PDB file of all heavy atoms in Angstrom:
ATOM      1  N   ARG L  20      13.452   7.053  14.094  1.00  0.00           N
ATOM      2  CA  ARG L  20      13.787   5.854  13.324  1.00  0.00           C
ATOM      3  C   ARG L  20      13.350   6.012  11.876  1.00  0.00           C
ATOM      4  O   ARG L  20      12.234   6.437  11.595  1.00  0.00           O
ATOM      5  CB  ARG L  20      13.097   4.652  13.951  1.00  0.00           C
ATOM      6  CG  ARG L  20      13.521   3.377  13.307  1.00  0.00           C
ATOM      7  CD  ARG L  20      12.982   2.204  14.040  1.00  0.00           C
ATOM      8  NE  ARG L  20      13.368   1.018  13.308  1.00  0.00           N
ATOM      9  CZ  ARG L  20      13.659  -0.129  13.863  1.00  0.00           C
ATOM     10  NH1 ARG L  20      13.574  -0.256  15.147  1.00  0.00           N
ATOM     11  NH2 ARG L  20      14.003  -1.152  13.129  1.00  0.00           N
ATOM     12  N   LYS L  21      14.220   5.636  10.964  1.00  0.00           N
ATOM     13  CA  LYS L  21      13.917   5.763   9.540  1.00  0.00           C
ATOM     14  C   LYS L  21      12.956   4.668   9.108  1.00  0.00           C
ATOM     15  O   LYS L  21      12.961   3.568   9.650  1.00  0.00           O
ATOM     16  CB  LYS L  21      15.198   5.689   8.726  1.00  0.00           C
ATOM     17  CG  LYS L  21      16.107   6.870   8.983  1.00  0.00           C
ATOM     18  CD  LYS L  21      17.296   6.813   8.093  1.00  0.00           C
ATOM     19  CE  LYS L  21      18.184   8.020   8.348  1.00  0.00           C
ATOM     20  NZ  LYS L  21      19.346   8.011   7.474  1.00  0.00           N
ATOM     21  N   THR L  22      12.138   5.005   8.100  1.00  0.00           N
ATOM     22  CA  THR L  22      11.136   4.068   7.617  1.00  0.00           C
ATOM     23  C   THR L  22      11.371   3.742   6.153  1.00  0.00           C
ATOM     24  O   THR L  22      12.105   4.425   5.448  1.00  0.00           O
ATOM     25  CB  THR L  22       9.720   4.649   7.782  1.00  0.00           C
ATOM     26  OG1 THR L  22       9.647   5.868   7.057  1.00  0.00           O
ATOM     27  CG2 THR L  22       9.395   4.892   9.248  1.00  0.00           C
ATOM     28  N   CYS L  23      10.716   2.683   5.696  1.00  0.00           N
ATOM     29  CA  CYS L  23      10.799   2.227   4.314  1.00  0.00           C
ATOM     30  C   CYS L  23      10.336   3.336   3.372  1.00  0.00           C
ATOM     31  O   CYS L  23       9.344   4.017   3.634  1.00  0.00           O
ATOM     32  CB  CYS L  23       9.921   0.998   4.147  1.00  0.00           C
ATOM     33  SG  CYS L  23       9.810   0.382   2.451  1.00  0.00           S
ATOM     34  N   ALA L  24      11.047   3.495   2.270  1.00  0.00           N
ATOM     35  CA  ALA L  24      10.718   4.529   1.294  1.00  0.00           C
ATOM     36  C   ALA L  24       9.409   4.240   0.555  1.00  0.00           C
ATOM     37  O   ALA L  24       8.818   5.141  -0.031  1.00  0.00           O
ATOM     38  CB  ALA L  24      11.857   4.660   0.285  1.00  0.00           C
ATOM     39  N   ILE L  25       8.932   3.003   0.590  1.00  0.00           N
ATOM     40  CA  ILE L  25       7.708   2.641  -0.129  1.00  0.00           C
ATOM     41  C   ILE L  25       6.501   2.548   0.794  1.00  0.00           C
ATOM     42  O   ILE L  25       5.474   3.163   0.549  1.00  0.00           O
ATOM     43  CB  ILE L  25       7.893   1.299  -0.881  1.00  0.00           C
ATOM     44  CG1 ILE L  25       9.021   1.397  -1.911  1.00  0.00           C
ATOM     45  CG2 ILE L  25       6.590   0.869  -1.565  1.00  0.00           C
ATOM     46  CD1 ILE L  25       8.815   2.423  -3.009  1.00  0.00           C
ATOM     47  N   CYS L  26       6.611   1.778   1.885  1.00  0.00           N
ATOM     48  CA  CYS L  26       5.422   1.511   2.705  1.00  0.00           C
ATOM     49  C   CYS L  26       5.429   2.169   4.081  1.00  0.00           C
ATOM     50  O   CYS L  26       4.403   2.203   4.742  1.00  0.00           O
ATOM     51  CB  CYS L  26       5.225   0.005   2.869  1.00  0.00           C
ATOM     52  SG  CYS L  26       6.465  -0.765   3.927  1.00  0.00           S
ATOM     53  N   GLY L  27       6.570   2.656   4.532  1.00  0.00           N
ATOM     54  CA  GLY L  27       6.624   3.337   5.815  1.00  0.00           C
ATOM     55  C   GLY L  27       6.940   2.459   7.015  1.00  0.00           C
ATOM     56  O   GLY L  27       7.033   2.949   8.133  1.00  0.00           O
ATOM     57  N   LYS L  28       7.117   1.159   6.806  1.00  0.00           N
ATOM     58  CA  LYS L  28       7.496   0.264   7.904  1.00  0.00           C
ATOM     59  C   LYS L  28       8.967   0.508   8.256  1.00  0.00           C
ATOM     60  O   LYS L  28       9.711   1.095   7.475  1.00  0.00           O
ATOM     61  CB  LYS L  28       7.312  -1.190   7.482  1.00  0.00           C
ATOM     62  CG  LYS L  28       5.869  -1.579   7.262  1.00  0.00           C
ATOM     63  CD  LYS L  28       5.785  -3.030   6.839  1.00  0.00           C
ATOM     64  CE  LYS L  28       4.343  -3.429   6.528  1.00  0.00           C
ATOM     65  NZ  LYS L  28       4.263  -4.803   6.005  1.00  0.00           N
ATOM     66  N   PRO L  29       9.420   0.029   9.420  1.00  0.00           N
ATOM     67  CA  PRO L  29      10.834   0.188   9.769  1.00  0.00           C
ATOM     68  C   PRO L  29      11.742  -0.487   8.735  1.00  0.00           C
ATOM     69  O   PRO L  29      11.426  -1.552   8.219  1.00  0.00           O
ATOM     70  CB  PRO L  29      10.953  -0.526  11.126  1.00  0.00           C
ATOM     71  CG  PRO L  29       9.571  -0.498  11.685  1.00  0.00           C
ATOM     72  CD  PRO L  29       8.647  -0.582  10.499  1.00  0.00           C
ATOM     73  N   ARG L  30      12.862   0.151   8.435  1.00  0.00           N
ATOM     74  CA  ARG L  30      13.795  -0.370   7.438  1.00  0.00           C
ATOM     75  C   ARG L  30      14.507  -1.623   7.939  1.00  0.00           C
ATOM     76  O   ARG L  30      14.733  -1.790   9.120  1.00  0.00           O
ATOM     77  CB  ARG L  30      14.871   0.666   7.124  1.00  0.00           C
ATOM     78  CG  ARG L  30      14.366   1.859   6.392  1.00  0.00           C
ATOM     79  CD  ARG L  30      15.531   2.789   6.113  1.00  0.00           C
ATOM     80  NE  ARG L  30      15.097   3.987   5.424  1.00  0.00           N
ATOM     81  CZ  ARG L  30      15.917   4.928   5.013  1.00  0.00           C
ATOM     82  NH1 ARG L  30      17.210   4.824   5.223  1.00  0.00           N
ATOM     83  NH2 ARG L  30      15.455   5.983   4.388  1.00  0.00           N
ATOM     84  N   ASP L  31      14.869  -2.471   6.997  1.00  0.00           N
ATOM     85  CA  ASP L  31      15.701  -3.635   7.274  1.00  0.00           C
ATOM     86  C   ASP L  31      17.072  -3.321   6.689  1.00  0.00           C
ATOM     87  O   ASP L  31      17.169  -2.983   5.510  1.00  0.00           O
ATOM     88  CB  ASP L  31      15.106  -4.872   6.602  1.00  0.00           C
ATOM     89  CG  ASP L  31      15.887  -6.141   6.863  1.00  0.00           C
ATOM     90  OD1 ASP L  31      17.103  -6.058   7.150  1.00  0.00           O
ATOM     91  OD2 ASP L  31      15.285  -7.218   6.767  1.00  0.00           O
ATOM     92  N   PRO L  32      18.145  -3.410   7.477  1.00  0.00           N
ATOM     93  CA  PRO L  32      19.473  -3.077   6.960  1.00  0.00           C
ATOM     94  C   PRO L  32      19.841  -3.869   5.698  1.00  0.00           C
ATOM     95  O   PRO L  32      20.574  -3.388   4.846  1.00  0.00           O
ATOM     96  CB  PRO L  32      20.416  -3.429   8.111  1.00  0.00           C
ATOM     97  CG  PRO L  32      19.571  -3.406   9.329  1.00  0.00           C
ATOM     98  CD  PRO L  32      18.184  -3.781   8.893  1.00  0.00           C
ATOM     99  N   LYS L  33      19.304  -5.069   5.560  1.00  0.00           N
ATOM    100  CA  LYS L  33      19.589  -5.894   4.382  1.00  0.00           C
ATOM    101  C   LYS L  33      19.038  -5.260   3.101  1.00  0.00           C
ATOM    102  O   LYS L  33      19.603  -5.432   2.022  1.00  0.00           O
ATOM    103  CB  LYS L  33      18.985  -7.285   4.583  1.00  0.00           C
ATOM    104  CG  LYS L  33      19.272  -8.254   3.468  1.00  0.00           C
ATOM    105  CD  LYS L  33      18.710  -9.626   3.784  1.00  0.00           C
ATOM    106  CE  LYS L  33      18.944 -10.582   2.639  1.00  0.00           C
ATOM    107  NZ  LYS L  33      18.375 -11.906   2.912  1.00  0.00           N
ATOM    108  N   TYR L  34      17.934  -4.530   3.204  1.00  0.00           N
ATOM    109  CA  TYR L  34      17.268  -3.948   2.024  1.00  0.00           C
ATOM    110  C   TYR L  34      17.240  -2.425   2.055  1.00  0.00           C
ATOM    111  O   TYR L  34      16.503  -1.808   1.284  1.00  0.00           O
ATOM    112  CB  TYR L  34      15.826  -4.468   1.934  1.00  0.00           C
ATOM    113  CG  TYR L  34      15.747  -5.960   1.806  1.00  0.00           C
ATOM    114  CD1 TYR L  34      15.341  -6.748   2.870  1.00  0.00           C
ATOM    115  CD2 TYR L  34      16.105  -6.593   0.622  1.00  0.00           C
ATOM    116  CE1 TYR L  34      15.284  -8.120   2.763  1.00  0.00           C
ATOM    117  CE2 TYR L  34      16.046  -7.965   0.501  1.00  0.00           C
ATOM    118  CZ  TYR L  34      15.638  -8.729   1.577  1.00  0.00           C
ATOM    119  OH  TYR L  34      15.590 -10.093   1.455  1.00  0.00           O
ATOM    120  N   ASP L  35      18.020  -1.802   2.927  1.00  0.00           N
ATOM    121  CA  ASP L  35      18.017  -0.351   3.101  1.00  0.00           C
ATOM    122  C   ASP L  35      18.056   0.372   1.759  1.00  0.00           C
ATOM    123  O   ASP L  35      18.851   0.016   0.904  1.00  0.00           O
ATOM    124  CB  ASP L  35      19.216   0.054   3.958  1.00  0.00           C
ATOM    125  CG  ASP L  35      19.109   1.456   4.496  1.00  0.00           C
ATOM    126  OD1 ASP L  35      17.996   1.843   4.867  1.00  0.00           O
ATOM    127  OD2 ASP L  35      20.122   2.154   4.547  1.00  0.00           O
ATOM    128  N   PRO L  36      17.187   1.320   1.468  1.00  0.00           N
ATOM    129  CA  PRO L  36      16.267   2.043   2.341  1.00  0.00           C
ATOM    130  C   PRO L  36      14.856   1.458   2.394  1.00  0.00           C
ATOM    131  O   PRO L  36      13.889   2.175   2.622  1.00  0.00           O
ATOM    132  CB  PRO L  36      16.238   3.433   1.706  1.00  0.00           C
ATOM    133  CG  PRO L  36      16.303   3.141   0.241  1.00  0.00           C
ATOM    134  CD  PRO L  36      17.268   1.954   0.146  1.00  0.00           C
ATOM    135  N   PHE L  37      14.736   0.167   2.171  1.00  0.00           N
ATOM    136  CA  PHE L  37      13.429  -0.490   2.170  1.00  0.00           C
ATOM    137  C   PHE L  37      13.318  -1.461   3.332  1.00  0.00           C
ATOM    138  O   PHE L  37      14.299  -1.759   4.003  1.00  0.00           O
ATOM    139  CB  PHE L  37      13.211  -1.227   0.840  1.00  0.00           C
ATOM    140  CG  PHE L  37      13.460  -0.348  -0.354  1.00  0.00           C
ATOM    141  CD1 PHE L  37      14.616  -0.474  -1.102  1.00  0.00           C
ATOM    142  CD2 PHE L  37      12.551   0.629  -0.710  1.00  0.00           C
ATOM    143  CE1 PHE L  37      14.863   0.349  -2.192  1.00  0.00           C
ATOM    144  CE2 PHE L  37      12.785   1.462  -1.791  1.00  0.00           C
ATOM    145  CZ  PHE L  37      13.939   1.319  -2.531  1.00  0.00           C
ATOM    146  N   CYS L  38      12.114  -1.993   3.537  1.00  0.00           N
ATOM    147  CA  CYS L  38      11.895  -2.943   4.631  1.00  0.00           C
ATOM    148  C   CYS L  38      11.961  -4.379   4.157  1.00  0.00           C
ATOM    149  O   CYS L  38      12.138  -5.291   4.958  1.00  0.00           O
ATOM    150  CB  CYS L  38      10.534  -2.684   5.284  1.00  0.00           C
ATOM    151  SG  CYS L  38       9.141  -3.022   4.189  1.00  0.00           S
ATOM    152  N   SER L  39      11.820  -4.593   2.850  1.00  0.00           N
ATOM    153  CA  SER L  39      11.780  -5.957   2.331  1.00  0.00           C
ATOM    154  C   SER L  39      12.166  -5.967   0.856  1.00  0.00           C
ATOM    155  O   SER L  39      12.241  -4.917   0.204  1.00  0.00           O
ATOM    156  CB  SER L  39      10.365  -6.527   2.467  1.00  0.00           C
ATOM    157  OG  SER L  39       9.476  -5.798   1.627  1.00  0.00           O
ATOM    158  N   ARG L  40      12.378  -7.162   0.356  1.00  0.00           N
ATOM    159  CA  ARG L  40      12.684  -7.304  -1.072  1.00  0.00           C
ATOM    160  C   ARG L  40      11.492  -6.827  -1.919  1.00  0.00           C
ATOM    161  O   ARG L  40      11.664  -6.256  -2.980  1.00  0.00           O
ATOM    162  CB  ARG L  40      13.019  -8.750  -1.390  1.00  0.00           C
ATOM    163  CG  ARG L  40      13.387  -8.936  -2.842  1.00  0.00           C
ATOM    164  CD  ARG L  40      13.826 -10.328  -3.140  1.00  0.00           C
ATOM    165  NE  ARG L  40      14.091 -10.411  -4.571  1.00  0.00           N
ATOM    166  CZ  ARG L  40      14.975 -11.201  -5.092  1.00  0.00           C
ATOM    167  NH1 ARG L  40      15.688 -11.982  -4.329  1.00  0.00           N
ATOM    168  NH2 ARG L  40      15.142 -11.226  -6.396  1.00  0.00           N
ATOM    169  N   ARG L  41      10.297  -7.086  -1.428  1.00  0.00           N
ATOM    170  CA  ARG L  41       9.100  -6.675  -2.168  1.00  0.00           C
ATOM    171  C   ARG L  41       9.096  -5.162  -2.408  1.00  0.00           C
ATOM    172  O   ARG L  41       8.873  -4.704  -3.522  1.00  0.00           O
ATOM    173  CB  ARG L  41       7.827  -7.076  -1.414  1.00  0.00           C
ATOM    174  CG  ARG L  41       6.573  -6.648  -2.152  1.00  0.00           C
ATOM    175  CD  ARG L  41       5.331  -6.774  -1.263  1.00  0.00           C
ATOM    176  NE  ARG L  41       4.187  -6.222  -1.928  1.00  0.00           N
ATOM    177  CZ  ARG L  41       3.895  -4.917  -1.999  1.00  0.00           C
ATOM    178  NH1 ARG L  41       4.683  -4.042  -1.435  1.00  0.00           N
ATOM    179  NH2 ARG L  41       2.834  -4.498  -2.639  1.00  0.00           N
ATOM    180  N   CYS L  42       9.359  -4.384  -1.356  1.00  0.00           N
ATOM    181  CA  CYS L  42       9.367  -2.924  -1.513  1.00  0.00           C
ATOM    182  C   CYS L  42      10.509  -2.477  -2.421  1.00  0.00           C
ATOM    183  O   CYS L  42      10.345  -1.547  -3.210  1.00  0.00           O
ATOM    184  CB  CYS L  42       9.437  -2.246  -0.156  1.00  0.00           C
ATOM    185  SG  CYS L  42       7.846  -2.285   0.723  1.00  0.00           S
ATOM    186  N   ALA L  43      11.654  -3.151  -2.346  1.00  0.00           N
ATOM    187  CA  ALA L  43      12.765  -2.838  -3.246  1.00  0.00           C
ATOM    188  C   ALA L  43      12.356  -3.111  -4.689  1.00  0.00           C
ATOM    189  O   ALA L  43      12.652  -2.322  -5.595  1.00  0.00           O
ATOM    190  CB  ALA L  43      13.995  -3.648  -2.874  1.00  0.00           C
ATOM    191  N   ASP L  44      11.642  -4.214  -4.909  1.00  0.00           N
ATOM    192  CA  ASP L  44      11.179  -4.548  -6.262  1.00  0.00           C
ATOM    193  C   ASP L  44      10.117  -3.572  -6.758  1.00  0.00           C
ATOM    194  O   ASP L  44      10.084  -3.224  -7.945  1.00  0.00           O
ATOM    195  CB  ASP L  44      10.638  -5.975  -6.311  1.00  0.00           C
ATOM    196  CG  ASP L  44      11.743  -7.015  -6.224  1.00  0.00           C
ATOM    197  OD1 ASP L  44      12.926  -6.667  -6.417  1.00  0.00           O
ATOM    198  OD2 ASP L  44      11.419  -8.199  -5.948  1.00  0.00           O
ATOM    199  N   VAL L  45       9.247  -3.118  -5.870  1.00  0.00           N
ATOM    200  CA  VAL L  45       8.239  -2.109  -6.243  1.00  0.00           C
ATOM    201  C   VAL L  45       8.947  -0.844  -6.721  1.00  0.00           C
ATOM    202  O   VAL L  45       8.590  -0.260  -7.751  1.00  0.00           O
ATOM    203  CB  VAL L  45       7.287  -1.802  -5.058  1.00  0.00           C
ATOM    204  CG1 VAL L  45       6.462  -0.549  -5.320  1.00  0.00           C
ATOM    205  CG2 VAL L  45       6.385  -2.987  -4.779  1.00  0.00           C
ATOM    206  N   ASP L  46       9.970  -0.424  -5.992  1.00  0.00           N
ATOM    207  CA  ASP L  46      10.726   0.769  -6.365  1.00  0.00           C
ATOM    208  C   ASP L  46      11.413   0.583  -7.720  1.00  0.00           C
ATOM    209  O   ASP L  46      11.360   1.456  -8.583  1.00  0.00           O
ATOM    210  CB  ASP L  46      11.755   1.093  -5.284  1.00  0.00           C
ATOM    211  CG  ASP L  46      12.493   2.384  -5.574  1.00  0.00           C
ATOM    212  OD1 ASP L  46      11.860   3.456  -5.461  1.00  0.00           O
ATOM    213  OD2 ASP L  46      13.688   2.317  -5.918  1.00  0.00           O
ATOM    214  N   LEU L  47      12.048  -0.580  -7.913  1.00  0.00           N
ATOM    215  CA  LEU L  47      12.708  -0.872  -9.187  1.00  0.00           C
ATOM    216  C   LEU L  47      11.695  -0.826 -10.336  1.00  0.00           C
ATOM    217  O   LEU L  47      11.960  -0.237 -11.386  1.00  0.00           O
ATOM    218  CB  LEU L  47      13.375  -2.241  -9.135  1.00  0.00           C
ATOM    219  CG  LEU L  47      14.027  -2.707 -10.444  1.00  0.00           C
ATOM    220  CD1 LEU L  47      15.129  -1.742 -10.877  1.00  0.00           C
ATOM    221  CD2 LEU L  47      14.562  -4.112 -10.292  1.00  0.00           C
ATOM    222  N   HIS L  48      10.530  -1.405 -10.127  1.00  0.00           N
ATOM    223  CA  HIS L  48       9.485  -1.402 -11.158  1.00  0.00           C
ATOM    224  C   HIS L  48       9.067   0.022 -11.518  1.00  0.00           C
ATOM    225  O   HIS L  48       8.882   0.355 -12.686  1.00  0.00           O
ATOM    226  CB  HIS L  48       8.271  -2.209 -10.689  1.00  0.00           C
ATOM    227  CG  HIS L  48       7.167  -2.252 -11.685  1.00  0.00           C
ATOM    228  ND1 HIS L  48       6.044  -1.475 -11.578  1.00  0.00           N
ATOM    229  CD2 HIS L  48       7.024  -2.964 -12.827  1.00  0.00           C
ATOM    230  CE1 HIS L  48       5.249  -1.706 -12.608  1.00  0.00           C
ATOM    231  NE2 HIS L  48       5.816  -2.600 -13.380  1.00  0.00           N
ATOM    232  N   ARG L  49       8.948   0.870 -10.505  1.00  0.00           N
ATOM    233  CA  ARG L  49       8.574   2.269 -10.772  1.00  0.00           C
ATOM    234  C   ARG L  49       9.630   2.974 -11.616  1.00  0.00           C
ATOM    235  O   ARG L  49       9.305   3.775 -12.488  1.00  0.00           O
ATOM    236  CB  ARG L  49       8.341   3.010  -9.460  1.00  0.00           C
ATOM    237  CG  ARG L  49       7.076   2.561  -8.753  1.00  0.00           C
ATOM    238  CD  ARG L  49       6.887   3.260  -7.432  1.00  0.00           C
ATOM    239  NE  ARG L  49       5.692   2.778  -6.749  1.00  0.00           N
ATOM    240  CZ  ARG L  49       5.342   3.130  -5.534  1.00  0.00           C
ATOM    241  NH1 ARG L  49       6.090   3.978  -4.844  1.00  0.00           N
ATOM    242  NH2 ARG L  49       4.254   2.646  -4.995  1.00  0.00           N
ATOM    243  N   TRP L  50      10.918   2.691 -11.358  1.00  0.00           N
ATOM    244  CA  TRP L  50      11.983   3.278 -12.180  1.00  0.00           C
ATOM    245  C   TRP L  50      11.906   2.752 -13.604  1.00  0.00           C
ATOM    246  O   TRP L  50      12.022   3.511 -14.572  1.00  0.00           O
ATOM    247  CB  TRP L  50      13.362   2.966 -11.593  1.00  0.00           C
ATOM    248  CG  TRP L  50      13.773   3.894 -10.510  1.00  0.00           C
ATOM    249  CD1 TRP L  50      13.796   3.631  -9.168  1.00  0.00           C
ATOM    250  CD2 TRP L  50      14.215   5.251 -10.652  1.00  0.00           C
ATOM    251  NE1 TRP L  50      14.228   4.740  -8.475  1.00  0.00           N
ATOM    252  CE2 TRP L  50      14.498   5.741  -9.361  1.00  0.00           C
ATOM    253  CE3 TRP L  50      14.418   6.087 -11.743  1.00  0.00           C
ATOM    254  CZ2 TRP L  50      14.968   7.033  -9.129  1.00  0.00           C
ATOM    255  CZ3 TRP L  50      14.880   7.375 -11.514  1.00  0.00           C
ATOM    256  CH2 TRP L  50      15.148   7.833 -10.228  1.00  0.00           C
ATOM    257  N   LEU L  51      11.720   1.433 -13.745  1.00  0.00           N
ATOM    258  CA  LEU L  51      11.734   0.824 -15.073  1.00  0.00           C
ATOM    259  C   LEU L  51      10.552   1.234 -15.939  1.00  0.00           C
ATOM    260  O   LEU L  51      10.693   1.353 -17.164  1.00  0.00           O
ATOM    261  CB  LEU L  51      11.787  -0.706 -14.955  1.00  0.00           C
ATOM    262  CG  LEU L  51      13.077  -1.260 -14.351  1.00  0.00           C
ATOM    263  CD1 LEU L  51      12.971  -2.767 -14.175  1.00  0.00           C
ATOM    264  CD2 LEU L  51      14.278  -0.899 -15.211  1.00  0.00           C
ATOM    265  N   LYS L  52       9.386   1.441 -15.333  1.00  0.00           N
ATOM    266  CA  LYS L  52       8.225   1.827 -16.147  1.00  0.00           C
ATOM    267  C   LYS L  52       8.152   3.333 -16.380  1.00  0.00           C
ATOM    268  O   LYS L  52       7.306   3.801 -17.121  1.00  0.00           O
ATOM    269  CB  LYS L  52       6.930   1.283 -15.571  1.00  0.00           C
ATOM    270  CG  LYS L  52       6.378   2.003 -14.389  1.00  0.00           C
ATOM    271  CD  LYS L  52       5.012   1.428 -14.012  1.00  0.00           C
ATOM    272  CE  LYS L  52       4.345   2.322 -13.007  1.00  0.00           C
ATOM    273  NZ  LYS L  52       3.003   1.908 -12.684  1.00  0.00           N
ATOM    274  N   GLY L  53       9.060   4.106 -15.740  1.00  0.00           N
ATOM    275  CA  GLY L  53       9.122   5.543 -16.004  1.00  0.00           C
ATOM    276  C   GLY L  53       8.335   6.406 -15.044  1.00  0.00           C
ATOM    277  O   GLY L  53       8.149   7.594 -15.301  1.00  0.00           O
ATOM    278  N   THR L  54       7.853   5.831 -13.929  1.00  0.00           N
ATOM    279  CA  THR L  54       7.138   6.625 -12.939  1.00  0.00           C
ATOM    280  C   THR L  54       8.063   7.667 -12.331  1.00  0.00           C
ATOM    281  O   THR L  54       7.684   8.805 -12.117  1.00  0.00           O
ATOM    282  CB  THR L  54       6.562   5.723 -11.834  1.00  0.00           C
ATOM    283  OG1 THR L  54       5.685   4.782 -12.435  1.00  0.00           O
ATOM    284  CG2 THR L  54       5.809   6.527 -10.799  1.00  0.00           C
TER     285      THR L  54
END
Side-chain angles (χ1 to χ4, degrees):
R20 186 173 177 146
K21 294 184 179 181
T22 59
C23 175
I25 299 299
C26 71
K28 293 180 183 175
R30 291 181 181 183
D31 181 335
K33 183 177 177 182
Y34 300 106
D35 195 39
F37 309 104
C38 66
S39 66
R40 182 175 177 150
R41 179 192 173 280
C42 284
D44 287 345
V45 167
D46 184 71
L47 176 61
H48 180 258
R49 289 178 182 174
W50 277 105
L51 294 175
K52 77 174 191 175
T54 301

